[in-house]
């Protein structure tokens, strides 16, 4: 097996593992923000809850519940892990960079290596919506705080 096939297989396994055993599933306590994201074309649905710091600037906890394909669930789980402790501005910046990577516009830098497992999705435009569902839901939530 060549290196590229091995890497693709490893990425696939990581996505399946995250989808099967998500670490950030549930609801935050307390729930400062609640947002539902739907992808009506495939039936995927994510319910996002966020707990903010007292200043409402830092994400202290982020959880999700929902149903969807492996890409939807794995993406929501990694999003919650990566954005924990980030400011609203940092979270929005990471969300935009992730969107650009999925569209094939940029490569993510080494400071977000976990998100690179989704890089191959750029080859399948119809699947980008699955990966971005939780991120769009988060963006809507964060932008509504202004």
């Amino acid at each position: 097996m060549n290196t590229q096939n091995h890497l693709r297989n490893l990425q696939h396994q990581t996505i399946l593992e995250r989808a099967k055993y998500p670490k950030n599933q549930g609801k935050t306590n307390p729930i400062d923000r609640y947002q539902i994201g739907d992808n009506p074309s495939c039936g995927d649905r994510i319910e996002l809850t966020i707990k903010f710091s007292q200043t409402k600037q830092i994400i202290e906890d982020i959880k999700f519940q929902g149903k969807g394909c492996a890409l939807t669930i794995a993406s929501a789980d990694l999003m919650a892990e990566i954005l924990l402790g980030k400011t609203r501005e940092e979270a929005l910046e990471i969300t935009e960079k992730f969107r650009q990577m999925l569209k094939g516009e940029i490569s993510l830098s080494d400071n977000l290596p976990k998100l690179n497992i989704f890089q191959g999705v750029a080859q399948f435009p119809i699947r980008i919506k699955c990966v971005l569902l939780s991120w769009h839901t988060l963006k809507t939530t964060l932008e509504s705080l202004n």
Side-chain angles (χ1 to χ4, degrees):
M1 186 185 302
N2 70 27
T3 306
Q4 193 166 3
N5 282 346
H6 179 69
L7 181 62
R8 208 173 298 133
N9 189 38
L10 190 61
Q11 291 171 335
H12 183 73
Q13 291 301 318
T14 304
I15 289 169
L16 290 177
E17 188 75 16
R18 279 284 179 165
K20 206 172 189 177
Y21 307 106
K23 300 172 183 169
N24 300 292
Q25 206 164 19
K27 291 185 176 179
T28 62
N29 185 17
I31 296 172
D32 293 327
R33 278 285 190 252
Y34 173 82
Q35 188 77 36
I36 294 175
D38 272 313
N39 185 349
S41 63
C42 67
D44 291 356
R45 178 184 174 97
I46 292 289
E47 295 179 32
L48 202 58
T49 57
I50 303 173
K51 175 187 174 196
F52 288 101
S53 63
Q54 280 193 307
T55 61
K56 302 283 184 238
Q57 291 304 307
I58 298 190
I59 298 171
E60 284 192 349
D61 197 10
I62 182 169
K63 300 270 190 231
F64 76 95
Q65 293 184 164
K67 63 182 178 78
C69 65
L71 288 171
T72 297
I73 302 302
S75 180
D77 194 47
L78 270 170
M79 178 193 74
E81 180 178 307
I82 286 166
L83 298 182
L84 192 64
K86 300 284 191 271
T87 65
R88 290 172 51 213
E89 290 74 22
E90 289 170 329
L92 287 168
E93 185 180 318
I94 291 168
T95 299
E96 180 56 22
K97 285 182 180 175
F98 185 59
R99 187 198 65 75
Q100 289 174 343
M101 187 236 2
L102 285 175
K103 302 256 182 189
E105 297 168 7
I106 64 167
S107 293
L108 285 178
S109 56
D110 293 335
N111 62 348
L112 297 170
K114 288 182 177 184
L115 293 178
N116 283 326
I117 65 169
F118 295 105
Q119 204 148 14
V121 175
Q123 299 167 19
F124 307 99
I126 197 150
R127 305 298 295 189
I128 291 173
K129 285 183 178 179
C130 301
V131 178
L132 284 179
L133 179 60
S134 57
W135 296 82
H136 282 309
T137 306
L138 173 84
K139 186 177 181 205
T140 300
T141 305
L142 295 179
E143 289 176 344
S144 74
L145 293 172
N146 292 335

